[in-house]
Amino acid sequence: ETGVTQSPTHLIKTRGQQVTLRCSSQSGHNTVSWYQQALGQGPQFIFQYYREEENGRGNFPPRFSGLQFPNYSSELNVNALELDDSALYLCASSPYLNTEAFFGQGTRLTVV
Amino acid sequence: AQTVTQSQPEMSVQEAETVTLSCTYDTSESDYYLFWYKQPPSRQMILVIRQEAYKQQNATENRFSVNFQKAAKSFSLKISDSQLGDAAMYFCAYRSLPGGTSYGKLTFGQGTILTVHP
């Protein structure tokens, strides 16, 4: 167990809808990053938050957005869902200057 | 931009034997971190081992060790005395140092599925 928890574990949404995924970071960690993992692929970096500010973003459209709260928990929001958004979404936390990222168990999103 | 390549989609090993998973990467940075993560069917990504590029000594963690060849940009994982619980998808990953071109971002390879036969 890493201490990083994500909710919900599974989610089914309809194309065009909006979804919010949540992540509670490990105690003492002020940096949270989000990854999208398609089936059978490696995770792809979506963005990272440090002390409530986005400080890094991958090649994802603006309909992928996020928040980090004062307690360092985080949300990933996806608007106008597309079928290709179906994937495992992973959250990882780390102390900012530390090297390791510790992952949650992921949220499996299915868009139908 | 950095890239990470795992050329072995699948590997298999007999229990108690040794297996080596390959990883190559491309970067223009001189210092960085490299990791191996394990992802079992439970989906949670688990850190197996890490290597700082400025350290010449290869990292080891119990039955897991790496062969880090900086000039060749190669970072292989050796699992000794393989156990049934080692069966999983293994990912090689790259991360810049603070102040690097893309600090914070982990760049992953495509993964290698490891099967352990009893």
Side-chain angles (χ1 to χ4, degrees):
Chain A
E1 292 295 323
T2 62
V4 181
T5 58
Q6 293 186 243
S7 62
T9 55
H10 296 85
L11 199 55
I12 300 175
K13 287 288 193 178
T14 302
R15 187 172 51 183
Q17 286 188 315
Q18 178 265 345
V19 68
T20 297
L21 310 182
R22 294 178 174 82
C23 173
S24 176
S25 60
Q26 187 166 321
S27 178
H29 290 188
N30 55 24
T31 302
V32 173
S33 51
W34 287 90
Y35 294 81
Q36 181 194 66
Q37 186 179 16
L39 196 61
Q41 302 293 317
Q44 299 292 316
F45 176 72
I46 302 174
F47 45 55
Q48 174 175 279
Y49 279 83
Y50 168 63
R51 292 186 174 180
E52 304 178 58
E53 296 287 332
E54 183 182 300
N55 73 340
R57 190 176 182 92
N59 295 324
F60 281 81
R63 59 189 186 83
F64 285 78
S65 63
L67 284 173
Q68 187 179 31
F69 300 99
N71 65 356
Y72 302 135
S73 65
S74 178
E75 287 182 354
L76 164 65
N77 300 291
V78 187
N79 294 321
L81 283 166
E82 302 177 358
L83 296 180
D84 286 347
D85 295 334
S86 295
L88 179 67
Y89 288 85
L90 296 167
C91 167
S93 76
S94 57
Y96 182 62
L97 294 180
N98 195 284
T99 61
E100 289 95 333
F102 297 91
F103 284 83
Q105 80 281 18
T107 294
R108 172 73 66 190
L109 173 65
T110 302
V111 182
V112 297
Chain B
Q2 296 82 25
T3 59
V4 177
T5 301
Q6 294 178 248
S7 59
Q8 305 158 315
E10 298 183 29
M11 292 285 285
S12 64
V13 64
Q14 292 292 130
E15 198 174 5
E17 298 294 311
T18 296
V19 64
T20 298
L21 308 184
S22 300
C23 172
T24 58
Y25 59 95
D26 190 29
T27 183
S28 59
E29 299 177 327
S30 58
D31 284 319
Y32 43 86
Y33 304 117
L34 295 167
F35 305 92
W36 279 97
Y37 280 92
K38 167 186 177 182
Q39 188 177 40
S42 66
R43 308 179 324 200
Q44 185 153 26
M45 199 75 75
I46 301 165
L47 179 65
V48 174
I49 199 166
R50 81 175 201 191
Q51 174 80 44
E52 291 89 345
Y54 63 88
K55 291 185 177 179
Q56 293 187 347
Q57 186 173 7
N58 289 324
T60 63
E61 286 288 341
N62 301 313
R63 299 182 294 107
F64 299 88
S65 62
V66 299
N67 183 4
F68 173 50
Q69 301 291 327
K70 189 173 183 180
K73 295 181 182 175
S74 169
F75 183 60
S76 61
L77 174 69
K78 185 171 81 171
I79 306 175
S80 304
D81 186 25
S82 296
Q83 301 176 359
L84 295 177
D86 294 333
M89 176 83 97
Y90 285 80
F91 291 98
C92 177
Y94 174 106
R95 192 177 200 184
S96 298
L97 263 64
T101 57
S102 58
Y103 177 67
K105 168 186 174 182
L106 277 167
T107 301
F108 287 87
Q110 305 91 319
T112 297
I113 299 172
L114 177 65
T115 302
V116 181
H117 299 288

